[in-house]
């Protein structure tokens, strides 16, 4: 089964710690440090969450991955790094959770669990009613 | 990078021994842990029911080459090698020879790394290591060795990178797959299994103190200071006009840091122990305050101290008291001494070797 969470981090320590904390929380992840591989994983696995660690990232790497995530409505992006950078990015896009430094691995795990419990794009407040939809569509009121 | 999951190791206590003069090293299959320290080199191997550590003095003494000397050294099975016009006697035997000639041994390692002033330093280290381990039974056997962290403040006497690389090269030529491990991290692996490998490991040896803050077995912060046991011996010796070898003897035999000192030598020892501890803790404070690598750690973490310099009675209490005088960005739960301070680094290196080999 493909991992439901992808971690992108060029920093071995931060990436490793995040992966380990999520593993202890029962979440299997794929840890990637190269942007080309990360793109491939996003396309192939359509993960429920992408933990994008901006520490040590080139600006182009961040842009490439975020652009890619625009097409993945089911993927929540959790941004890690300096608050000045990630809050600016998060303000510009929906479905993004900024968690500024210092790295708080337990908070990351909590946010990932929340993202996986209620994935974006699913309207949980209004249960789908197929009959009502068809009636509306066919204008049979 | 997968988190290293340290292998299980036998719970019985370490069995340790000093290398007997003339005894040949045993060849046992399995990973090896190696602590290449300024004063001693220690090897560790898992024997199933216990961990066997063996230590050898990391020192040498030279005598002029002659047939008489050659016969004597051969007869007494004294580990040595020859180069140019000299015999290099290595290990504890070197100490015996130095005492005979009323002088001191030389050290191939200074302040934790290969001494650039000792041209045959690497050859001596190789010879000492060869008294402890031989070529592995299985080619490519994993051997993990401790390396110091980058020194804070003053530049290193030599280079940590060079030290690590040349040692890796000769261990590879011996037939091992060498893996390096920060010495402070080795303390964490050996002593903090019950704390989720989260805490601060400090190795206080002869030439250097190595510090590692580990989070879930990841070495988040590592550094070293180039002051340790030898610094205390030298400074006390200068202060009271006594040879540092005499000071070392008194320090190891009699010193009690929990009692008020009596006499000039003990007073000076107390002073320079305070000096070393304060220097170490001030640098710990500086490094932690300046770093952006520290993750948020909600629970207090322990400090474990190891190494010969931490062994005098009362050291733990003195360290804990000094700690209360500084402010760190993380809370410390306790300060404790390693269960076997002289062999902890080798044991931690063995744990890493066993993990890598698994």
């Amino acid at each position: 089964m493909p991992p439901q969470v992808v971690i992108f981090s060029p920093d071995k320590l931060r990436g490793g710690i995040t992966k380990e904390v999520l593993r202890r929380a029962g979440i299997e992840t794929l840890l990637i440090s190269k942007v080309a591989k990360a793109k491939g994983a996003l396309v192939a696995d359509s993960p429920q969450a992408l933990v994008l660690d901006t520490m040590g990232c080139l600006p182009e790497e961040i842009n490439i991955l975020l652009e890619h995530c625009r097409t993945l409505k089911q993927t929540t992006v959790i941004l890690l790094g300096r608050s000045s950078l990630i809050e600016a990015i998060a303000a510009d896009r929906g479905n993004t959770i900024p968690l500024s430094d210092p790295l708080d691995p337990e908070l990351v795990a909590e946010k990932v669990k929340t993202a996986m419990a209620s994935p974006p794009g699913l309207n949980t407040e209004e249960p789908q009613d197929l009959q009502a939809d068809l009636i509306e569509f066919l204008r049979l009121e | 990078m997968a988190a290293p999951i340290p292998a299980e190791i036998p719970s019985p206590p370490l069995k340790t021994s000093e290398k007997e003069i003339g005894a040949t090293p045993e060849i046992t299959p399995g990973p090896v842990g190696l602590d290449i320290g300024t004063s001693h080199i220690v090897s560790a191997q898992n024997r199933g029911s216990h961990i066997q550590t063996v230590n050898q003095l990391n020192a040498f003494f030279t005598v002029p080459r002659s047939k008489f000397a050659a016969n004597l050294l051969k007869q007494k099975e004294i580990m040595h090698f020859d180069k140019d016009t000299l015999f290099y006697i290595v290990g504890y035997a070197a100490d015996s020879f130095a005492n005979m000639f009323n002088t001191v041994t030389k050290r191939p390692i200074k302040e934790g790394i290969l001494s650039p002033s000792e041209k045959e330093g690497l050859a001596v280290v190789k010879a000492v290591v060869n008294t402890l381990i031989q070529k592995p039974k299985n080619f490519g056997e994993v051997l993990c060795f401790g390396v110091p962290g980058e020194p804070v403040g003053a530049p290193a006497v030599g280079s940590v990178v060079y030290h690590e690389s040349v040692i890796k090269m000769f261990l590879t030529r011996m037939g091992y797959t060498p893996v390096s491990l920060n010495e402070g991290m080795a303390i964490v692996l050996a002593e903090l299994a019950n704390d989720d490998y989260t805490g601060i490991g400090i190795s206080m040896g002869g030439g250097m103190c190595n510090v590692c803050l580990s989070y879930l077995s990841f070495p988040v912060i590592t550094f070293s200071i180039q002051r340790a046991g030898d610094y205390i011996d030298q400074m006390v010796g200068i202060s009271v006009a006594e040879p540092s070898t005499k000071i070392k003897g008194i320090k190891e035999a009699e010193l009690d840091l929990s009692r008020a000192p009596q006499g000039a030598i003990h007073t000076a020892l107390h002073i320079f122990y305070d000096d070393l501890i304060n220097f170490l803790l001030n640098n710990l404070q500086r490094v932690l305050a300046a770093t952006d690598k520290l993750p948020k750690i909600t629970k207090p973490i322990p400090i474990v101290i190891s190494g010969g310099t931490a062994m005098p009675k009362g050291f733990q209490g003195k360290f804990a008291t000094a700690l209360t005088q500084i402010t760190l960005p993380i809370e410390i739960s306790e300060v404790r001494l390693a269960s076997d301070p002289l062999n902890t680094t080798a044991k931690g290196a063995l744990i890493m070797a066993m993990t890598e080999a698994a």
Side-chain angles (χ1 to χ4, degrees):
Chain A
M1 189 177 162
Q4 293 176 298
V5 178
V6 170
I7 304 168
F8 177 77
S9 178
D11 187 308
K12 274 186 181 176
L13 267 177
R14 288 167 63 100
I17 287 171
T18 306
K19 183 180 172 76
E20 175 62 13
V21 170
L22 289 174
R23 186 191 70 82
R24 286 165 184 242
I27 302 168
E28 286 307 313
T29 60
L30 181 62
L31 173 60
I32 300 173
S33 61
K34 304 268 187 258
V35 74
K37 260 188 151 179
K39 268 173 65 179
L42 289 172
V43 167
D45 301 334
S46 291
Q48 283 184 266
L50 166 68
V51 179
L52 173 48
D53 182 10
T54 61
M55 275 299 256
C57 272
L58 299 169
E60 293 81 10
E61 289 176 327
I62 301 172
N63 291 336
I64 286 169
L65 289 175
L66 290 176
E67 258 324 294
H68 224 73
C69 285
R70 278 192 208 282
T71 63
L72 301 170
K73 291 195 166 43
Q74 299 274 60
T75 303
T76 301
V77 177
I78 297 168
L79 288 171
L80 310 179
R82 291 204 177 92
S83 62
S84 51
L85 171 65
I86 61 175
E87 274 162 28
I89 296 171
D92 221 17
R93 28 171 307 123
N95 201 21
T96 305
I97 303 169
L99 298 177
S100 55
D101 280 348
L103 176 66
D104 187 342
E106 312 224 339
L107 183 58
V108 173
E110 191 188 300
K111 295 295 180 187
V112 166
K113 275 189 192 166
T114 307
M116 289 173 70
S118 50
L122 269 180
N123 191 343
T124 53
E125 286 175 8
E126 295 174 21
Q128 287 182 327
D129 185 346
L130 181 58
Q131 188 176 2
D133 282 348
L134 277 173
I135 289 170
E136 195 191 330
F137 176 70
L138 295 169
R139 294 194 180 120
L140 296 176
E141 292 284 9
Chain B
M1 173 175 130
I5 302 166
E8 295 283 333
I9 56 162
S11 52
L14 293 174
K15 279 192 188 174
T16 66
S17 59
E18 269 186 15
K19 198 76 192 67
E20 289 172 24
I21 294 172
T24 50
E26 293 176 46
I27 314 167
T28 314
V32 178
L34 199 61
D35 170 19
I36 302 176
T38 305
S39 310
H40 291 82
I41 295 182
V42 184
S43 69
Q45 271 203 291
N46 184 6
R47 295 276 192 250
S49 61
H50 65 279
I51 295 172
Q52 177 77 49
T53 62
V54 187
N55 76 69
Q56 176 67 280
L57 187 68
N58 191 12
F60 67 102
F61 186 78
T62 53
V63 294
R65 261 173 96 163
S66 67
K67 266 192 181 164
F68 175 76
N71 288 337
L72 177 68
L73 293 174
K74 191 177 173 185
Q75 199 179 44
K76 300 287 181 190
E77 293 179 323
I78 291 171
M79 182 55 81
H80 66 282
F81 65 93
D82 57 84
K83 179 105 194 225
D84 299 328
T85 58
L86 296 173
F87 282 126
Y88 288 74
I89 300 158
V90 301
Y92 285 107
D95 217 21
S96 308
F97 269 81
N99 288 335
M100 250 196 297
F101 289 90
N102 203 27
T103 180
V104 293
T105 53
K106 293 184 188 177
R107 301 256 195 93
I109 292 201
K110 184 174 175 173
E111 292 174 355
I113 52 177
L114 279 165
S115 172
S117 57
E118 296 294 349
K119 298 289 174 242
E120 301 310 322
L122 182 59
V124 170
V125 169
K126 281 187 202 174
V128 174
V129 169
N130 280 327
T131 69
L132 297 173
I133 56 172
Q134 283 196 351
K135 289 185 178 181
K137 263 192 169 162
N138 304 318
F139 182 79
E141 194 72 83
V142 177
L143 182 152
C144 179
F145 65 101
V147 291
E150 285 295 334
V152 159
V157 169
S159 158
V160 174
V161 172
Y162 173 78
H163 171 92
E164 180 180 348
S165 300
V166 295
I167 290 175
K168 250 187 186 160
M169 278 186 221
F170 95 73
L171 290 171
T172 305
R173 270 187 238 120
M174 272 185 88
Y176 288 98
T177 300
V179 172
S180 60
L181 175 70
N182 176 270
E183 288 185 22
M185 188 62 201
I187 310 306
V188 170
L189 290 182
E191 295 287 318
L192 293 180
N194 294 336
D195 298 279
D196 252 346
Y197 304 101
T198 298
I200 298 176
I202 302 179
S203 165
M204 300 182 73
M208 246 183 178
C209 292
N210 276 282
V211 182
C212 173
L213 188 154
S214 166
Y215 182 74
L216 300 179
S217 78
F218 288 89
V220 176
I221 289 157
T222 60
F223 70 93
S224 68
I225 60 166
Q226 286 179 303
R227 281 190 200 180
D230 292 348
Y231 166 80
I232 292 175
D233 300 337
Q234 282 158 18
M235 295 310 291
V236 170
I238 290 168
S239 305
V240 301
E242 294 279 7
S244 60
T245 46
K246 178 179 176 180
I247 302 301
K248 185 173 178 192
I250 293 171
K251 180 182 78 175
E252 289 175 1
E254 298 170 16
L255 182 61
D256 185 345
L257 295 167
S258 62
R259 287 184 176 186
Q262 295 202 332
I265 292 177
H266 282 255
T267 301
L269 280 167
H270 274 245
I271 287 168
F272 284 102
Y273 255 97
D274 282 334
D275 178 53
L276 174 64
I277 291 170
N278 289 331
F279 186 74
L280 174 62
L281 288 175
N282 284 328
N283 275 288
L284 178 64
Q285 184 181 41
R286 273 177 64 199
V287 169
L288 292 184
T291 187
D292 59 0
K293 291 184 183 176
L294 195 60
K296 193 166 178 185
I297 301 175
T298 46
K299 292 184 218 167
I301 61 172
I303 292 178
V304 179
I305 311 175
S306 178
T309 299
M311 286 181 71
K313 244 178 163 180
F315 177 87
Q316 183 183 349
K318 203 179 245 302
F319 191 98
T321 303
L323 187 60
T324 61
Q325 304 303 309
I326 62 161
T327 312
L328 297 176
I330 37 165
E331 212 181 318
I332 303 298
S333 57
E334 59 167 339
V335 174
R336 60 180 195 253
L337 269 188
S339 51
D340 185 1
L342 291 177
N343 297 303
T344 312
T345 303
K347 182 181 167 189
L350 174 63
I351 292 170
M352 179 55 107
M354 288 164 67
T355 306
E356 291 286 321

